[in-house]
Amino acid sequence: MAHKSKPNILFLMTDQQRNDTFSCINPEVLTPYLDELIGDSVIFSNARCANPSCVPSRAAIMTGKFPSECECPTFITQLPAHETTFMTRLQEAGYHTAVIGKQHFAGSSIKRGYDEEMIIDGHSAFYPDDTIQPYLDYLAEHGVDRKAVMSKTLISGGTWNVESQYHLDDYLGELGKAWMDKKGRAAQADDKPWFLTLSFSGPHHPYDCEGTEYAELYDHEKLSAPESTYSDLDEKPPHFKKMGSYADIYLKHFSEETFKKTKRSYYANVSLIDRKIGELIRIMKEHNLYDNTLIIYTSDHGDFMGDFGMVEKMQCLSDSLMRVPLFVKPPIQGFQGFEVKDDVLNIDIAATCLEAAGGEVPSSLSSYSYTGYWDETREKKVREAVYMEAGAIKGCIHQGMKTVHYMDRSYGELYDLNNDPLERRNLWNDPRYMAQKLEGYRFIVDHMYRAIPKSDVPWNVGTPDI
């Protein structure tokens, strides 16, 4: 139960999960427990991340700032020590904070802001020992050979060869359940509200749930083929077709059956996570923790999973990667969930948690908290445009038009998402859309300017506003 009117906060996170991987959105996917949680939540059906890669996207979520603002714009950068995570700010607001699972601080020396840590920063038993040691200890304790858990049979993945209880996401789910049960049993004695991050490693590749009971829930032959194809990449900048030197992610190099089994493995991992979250929610309800806990669910970015003839991800702002799950269950008993179609970004999880905790949201943070959607005493702020980054690629969405700028390049991307939601027709060189392109550039330049230190300082004392 919440303490002194402050709600407990549960932050559920996955890695590389598409926004359309829930039964209530896509009947191909089986997620009964998450559907039930969504029914109690505000679901943001047009939510996006700030960056299509793990490290910068998570840095943005943790700080409440865009990747360029928190100086972590790419996968091989890291948060500087002088930045502050929202978990540290929650500690300052009186919360006991804990984390289980992936964080991807990537070697940063920043103060992370957790009182308890069980950080496991890998996606399988094949990751370096120092990133997943507790998981390796668990496998060794049960006599499971880490080298034998999966056989490479799929695109970027393979067949799981042992019981599913030894899968990394099952292990993380069990750790989360144990933590919640312990917290529930001690609820009356606790003198602090709590914040828990439970961060799953999947459904990020390796897609390794083929062969589990979760894969048996799906008939791969009945899974749909993607609407967009490799030929649609002709409309896009040249680097879209050059990932082969980095990773073999193009479906044209594999059979249709191999792709559909890869897709089944991806969905199976989502179903595994769904089961573990369902079990966690049951424990919360048994300890009367559910009603008074703010629960937030999101992912750091998506996955092509067949779109444009690809799987995995790359440096681009395609909606296959940028649209993410985002739903929030308020700490209100009997709350009736509903859908919100406003364009939102998941970097505002920071502001949302701080507002819910009764703390201040510093002016340096993105301040479009979600609390106004269920709390009438709070302002409901809606973005005029959504800004996104992928290193030297900057983009925005305004009134359904997506403008994407490439630094030092004459080409770019422009899509009318109102009529072309799959982004198959690039309007960059279409003169009829020049006004929309210029409007998009205005928003992009404004956001890039805000990332400059002291950009908000007036020109001089007494000078007129521009």
Side-chain angles (χ1 to χ4, degrees):
M1 59 183 64
H3 176 77
K4 296 180 180 179
S5 78
K6 290 186 176 183
N8 298 315
I9 304 173
L10 173 61
F11 180 26
L12 298 168
M13 193 168 183
T14 57
D15 197 307
Q16 205 163 301
Q17 183 179 2
R18 293 170 59 93
N19 76 307
D20 59 356
T21 47
F22 303 93
S23 310
C24 58
I25 299 171
N26 177 5
E28 278 193 348
V29 190
L30 300 175
T31 55
Y33 302 104
L34 286 169
D35 281 10
E36 187 175 346
L37 181 56
I38 288 171
D40 294 342
S41 304
V42 180
I43 180 170
F44 297 94
S45 54
N46 286 314
R48 289 176 172 84
C49 57
N51 190 289
S53 185
C54 302
V55 174
S57 179
R58 289 169 180 268
I61 292 170
M62 292 169 184
T63 61
K65 298 180 179 181
F66 287 96
S68 57
E69 293 175 332
C70 65
E71 301 178 51
C72 188
T74 72
F75 183 79
I76 57 174
T77 58
Q78 56 188 230
L79 279 169
H82 62 76
E83 282 293 340
T84 305
T85 69
F86 80 87
M87 298 82 76
T88 294
R89 300 185 193 278
L90 285 176
Q91 284 180 319
E92 295 168 352
Y95 275 71
H96 177 83
T97 61
V99 59
I100 296 169
K102 183 178 177 183
Q103 289 291 273
H104 228 152
F105 281 101
S108 171
S109 59
I110 192 173
K111 179 184 175 184
R112 294 187 287 268
Y114 290 113
D115 298 304
E116 298 178 64
E117 290 188 345
M118 178 62 83
I119 295 176
I120 300 172
D121 268 343
H123 297 285
S124 74
F126 305 112
Y127 270 67
D129 292 11
D130 61 341
T131 65
I132 57 169
Q133 193 59 57
Y135 175 52
L136 296 179
D137 294 342
Y138 168 73
L139 294 180
E141 179 185 345
H142 290 85
V144 177
D145 182 359
R146 67 186 291 190
K147 297 179 181 179
V149 296
M150 187 195 80
S151 301
K152 179 73 167 68
T153 60
L154 305 175
I155 311 171
S156 303
T159 302
W160 191 252
N161 296 322
V162 296
E163 290 87 347
S164 61
Q165 72 184 77
Y166 302 120
H167 191 279
L168 177 53
D169 281 326
D170 193 287
Y171 172 66
L172 293 173
E174 289 298 310
L175 290 178
K177 288 166 55 182
W179 189 95
M180 192 64 68
D181 185 57
K182 181 179 178 181
K183 183 60 66 173
R185 293 179 187 278
Q188 298 301 325
D190 282 350
D191 61 354
K192 284 186 174 183
W194 51 260
F195 169 89
L196 171 66
T197 295
L198 176 57
S199 183
F200 292 92
S201 67
H204 188 290
H205 60 282
Y207 312 117
D208 58 2
C209 281
E210 182 75 358
T212 68
E213 65 269 31
Y214 300 100
E216 293 175 1
L217 298 171
Y218 299 90
D219 181 349
H220 73 277
E221 294 181 350
K222 294 182 179 179
L223 295 180
S224 61
E227 293 183 55
S228 58
T229 66
Y230 181 80
S231 63
D232 291 321
L233 296 182
D234 293 340
E235 295 269 331
K236 300 184 184 297
H239 77 295
F240 275 83
K241 286 189 172 183
K242 295 180 179 178
M243 288 296 289
S245 60
Y246 175 76
D248 193 0
I249 63 173
Y250 298 108
L251 304 190
K252 65 178 182 173
H253 298 148
F254 302 89
S255 68
E256 181 182 7
E257 181 181 28
T258 299
F259 165 63
K260 288 198 171 183
K261 286 184 176 179
T262 300
K263 189 174 186 178
R264 173 169 69 180
S265 183
Y266 182 81
Y267 285 171
N269 201 160
V270 174
S271 291
L272 187 163
I273 293 169
D274 173 74
R275 174 78 60 83
K276 305 320 290 186
I277 290 177
E279 293 168 354
L280 177 73
I281 297 298
R282 186 188 69 239
I283 290 171
M284 294 181 69
K285 290 181 177 179
E286 289 173 353
H287 291 299
N288 296 317
L289 293 172
Y290 181 76
D291 289 337
N292 294 318
T293 297
L294 176 70
I295 302 177
I296 302 175
Y297 185 106
T298 197
S299 193
D300 52 359
H301 54 78
D303 189 304
F304 283 111
M305 198 40 60
D307 293 347
F308 304 107
M310 295 188 285
V311 295
E312 293 190 26
K313 58 193 174 185
M314 62 177 292
Q315 185 183 2
C316 71
L317 297 180
S318 297
D319 264 7
S320 302
L321 308 184
M322 303 309 295
R323 291 189 68 187
V324 291
L326 178 62
F327 55 88
V328 185
K329 186 206 77 70
I332 300 172
Q333 184 176 6
F335 184 80
Q336 297 294 311
F338 56 88
E339 178 185 5
V340 170
K341 295 185 178 181
D342 296 338
D343 289 321
V344 299
L345 286 167
N346 64 5
I347 67 171
D348 287 303
I349 287 171
T352 302
C353 289
L354 293 176
E355 273 199 2
E360 293 294 323
V361 180
S363 59
S364 59
L365 272 61
S366 180
S367 60
Y368 288 82
S369 167
Y370 317 134
T371 55
Y373 287 97
W374 64 81
D375 184 349
E376 294 181 354
T377 67
R378 300 281 188 180
E379 178 186 5
K380 185 173 72 174
K381 296 175 65 177
V382 180
R383 293 178 182 275
E384 184 178 4
V386 167
Y387 174 70
M388 303 164 290
E389 307 176 337
I393 305 172
K394 315 293 182 183
C396 81
I397 298 173
H398 174 60
Q399 296 181 352
M401 295 297 301
K402 177 187 276 190
T403 307
V404 184
H405 168 74
Y406 285 73
M407 182 178 174
D408 292 330
R409 300 292 186 271
S410 60
Y411 52 74
E413 296 176 82
L414 184 69
Y415 303 103
D416 180 357
L417 301 181
N418 299 305
N419 298 302
D420 179 26
L422 299 180
E423 303 175 332
R424 301 178 73 179
R425 186 178 174 219
N426 188 357
L427 304 170
W428 183 259
N429 293 316
D430 191 328
R432 293 174 296 177
Y433 290 86
M434 182 60 68
Q436 290 92 328
K437 184 193 292 189
L438 289 174
E439 184 73 353
Y441 261 101
R442 179 174 71 83
F443 287 108
I444 292 171
V445 171
D446 285 350
H447 273 277
M448 293 177 67
Y449 180 75
R450 292 189 191 101
I452 300 172
K454 300 184 179 181
S455 63
D456 57 342
V457 177
W459 178 258
N460 200 348
V461 177
T463 55
D465 291 337
I466 59 172

